[in-house]
Amino acid sequence: MPLLEVRGLRAGYEGIPVVFGVDLEVGRGEVVALLGANGAGKTTTLRAISGAIPQLGGTVLFDGRPLHGLSPERVARAGLLQVPEGRGIFRSLGVDETLRLAANLAGLAKADLAERVEEAYATFPRLRDRRNQAAGMLSGGEQQMLALARGLIARPPLLMIDEMSQGLAPTLVADLFEIVAGFPARGVSVLLVEQFVGRALEVATRAYVLEKGEVSFAGSAATLAADESFVRSSYLGNVAAEEVAAARAEGANGHAPLGEEVKVTLPAALLRGLEERAEREGVAADELVRKLVTSSLTRAGGRARNGGRTRSTGETPTPREKGRRRGPA
Ligand SMILES: Nc1ncnc2c1ncn2[C@@H]1O[C@H](COP(=O)(O)OP(=O)(O)OP(=O)(O)O)[C@@H](O)[C@H]1O
Ligand SMILES: [Mg+2]
């Protein structure tokens, strides 16, 4: 059974599909590339898988269980995390704070927590040098490292990475791809959305190409890499970038209302710091936690911790939540 099995997925905005019947699979230990021109529907596909926008049709099975109708927090708890386009970094949170927060959200025990943070610094030494800096002060490349480190810290079975290399220097991109290639060895399979097609095909075992919301190629990465006309043409978008930007600016940016909530418990000091930062950034602390949860929580989470305070990602707690904390059984 594949780790992720997507069949006939339809997804879009305000009920109008822009992704029509996508089939794709990610196996355990695989890096799979999802490629395609601007506006082809790559991000929409990832968002529908992660529950950020509704699935309009088809099925998504993760580890054999349907994800249909689950909130992004629930999906994260099930072990499917997303490193979003634009990285989703919180500018006023420090580097170390971001990593510790992610480890806390994942419910790691204290000893494991320190070890995982240390491991993140070993993987991304530049983050260690910047550990006390606010994330917003980091370079674009360092922010991407932080987003990857945050996603990796909980060792999710599946990490979906959207446009990791956007805006980064080619040498840095090469380094990041090399690091991502090592994720499966840590138990983390990867679904990689990329426009750096050549690099993506080097680290991926299999690839899918989306064209106007439909899969136009599914097969081995080596086969696709050998198709020179594809590799060359893949840099030409079939939808003007401005058009995509305009659609996004209009709003409806794909965040479904939270259908279900997930409770997270954080050490009080960490939460206090978080609330202060959230206020400084002019965002609600709940909103901040909610976003962090979808990029850094896995099934390891949810354990109550002594001395911690609980944050709910939903508007109103419901009694039935209690027994369902750990996500799909
Ligand atoms: N929030 C939105 N509201 C309405 N339409 C949207 C929204 N986001 C994307 N779209 C439209 O959905 C289609 C697919 O967009 P999507 O962002 O999934 O493409 P993509 O393959 O990720 O492109 P890119 O490479 O530019 O990131 C496009 O036609 C786009 O205009
Ligand atoms: Mg995109």
Side-chain angles (χ1 to χ4, degrees):
M1 187 209 308
L3 180 60
L4 178 72
E5 186 177 358
V6 177
R7 291 278 165 262
L9 178 67
R10 290 163 67 82
Y13 302 91
E14 283 157 32
I16 301 162
V18 297
V19 164
F20 312 93
V22 164
D23 293 338
L24 71 85
E25 286 180 7
V26 180
R28 285 173 188 77
E30 264 197 313
V31 176
V32 172
L34 179 59
L35 309 172
N38 290 124
K42 305 179 296 293
T43 298
T44 303
T45 300
L46 294 195
R47 282 180 176 161
I49 293 170
S50 69
I53 57 171
Q55 295 162 16
L56 301 175
T59 54
V60 177
L61 299 179
F62 181 63
D63 217 359
R65 299 176 198 133
L67 294 183
H68 188 83
L70 294 187
S71 66
E73 290 83 356
R74 286 271 165 192
V75 172
R77 178 138 290 170
L80 198 170
L81 299 189
Q82 191 167 0
V83 177
E85 211 174 2
R87 292 146 202 165
I89 286 293
F90 290 93
R91 302 181 61 80
S92 64
L93 280 184
V95 168
D96 204 58
E97 259 175 327
T98 301
L99 295 177
R100 282 179 35 214
L101 190 59
N104 267 291
L105 287 170
L108 295 176
K110 215 169 178 184
D112 296 336
L113 189 150
E115 196 178 295
R116 291 288 175 83
V117 171
E118 213 24 63
E119 190 184 278
Y121 288 137
T123 308
F124 301 100
R126 272 163 71 173
L127 293 182
R128 193 199 301 277
D129 302 339
R130 307 273 188 278
R131 61 189 304 156
N132 295 317
Q133 250 179 43
M137 303 299 283
L138 301 178
S139 71
E142 288 160 353
Q143 288 186 10
Q144 186 63 66
M145 290 176 196
L146 184 58
L148 289 171
R150 183 184 65 187
L152 191 63
I153 216 153
R155 299 256 179 87
L158 182 61
L159 194 59
M160 302 198 293
I161 306 174
D162 198 355
E163 304 275 4
M164 174 178 79
S165 47
Q166 205 164 46
L168 304 185
T171 51
L172 178 62
V173 170
D175 291 348
L176 292 182
F177 271 112
E178 204 167 301
I179 290 168
V180 168
F183 284 11
R186 303 182 188 196
V188 178
S189 302
V190 178
L191 180 58
L192 195 64
V193 163
E194 258 308 325
Q195 292 213 17
F196 267 69
V197 165
R199 290 281 178 195
L201 292 176
E202 277 170 28
V203 301
T205 45
R206 291 185 308 107
Y208 295 88
V209 177
L210 272 187
E211 243 174 79
K212 296 180 178 151
E214 290 181 279
V215 176
S216 62
F217 172 91
S220 93
T223 305
L224 192 59
D227 182 345
E228 262 178 56
S229 71
F230 165 76
V231 175
R232 221 176 307 120
S233 70
S234 64
Y235 292 96
L236 306 170
N238 58 9
V239 174
E242 303 91 277
E243 210 176 295
V244 177
R248 282 183 188 145
E250 272 171 27
N253 69 351
H255 283 284
L258 288 161
E260 297 174 79
E261 59 172 312
V262 167
K263 284 202 171 76
V264 295
T265 306
L266 297 170
L270 199 56
L271 186 56
R272 236 183 348 262
L274 191 66
E275 281 166 345
E276 281 169 24
R277 302 312 169 82
E279 197 180 322
R280 219 180 295 163
E281 269 185 62
V283 294
D286 281 345
E287 182 60 25
L288 208 157
V289 170
R290 187 177 310 172
K291 286 188 178 161
L292 281 165
V293 160
T294 61
S295 55
S296 57
L297 188 76
T298 73
R299 72 177 79 195
R303 261 172 263 141
R305 296 158 70 89
N306 289 339
R309 280 165 62 200
T310 300
R311 267 277 164 201
S312 161
T313 61
E315 302 295 321
T316 45
T318 55
R320 75 193 161 94
E321 174 60 24
K322 244 184 173 168
R324 297 175 37 180
R325 261 189 199 181
R326 278 160 201 267

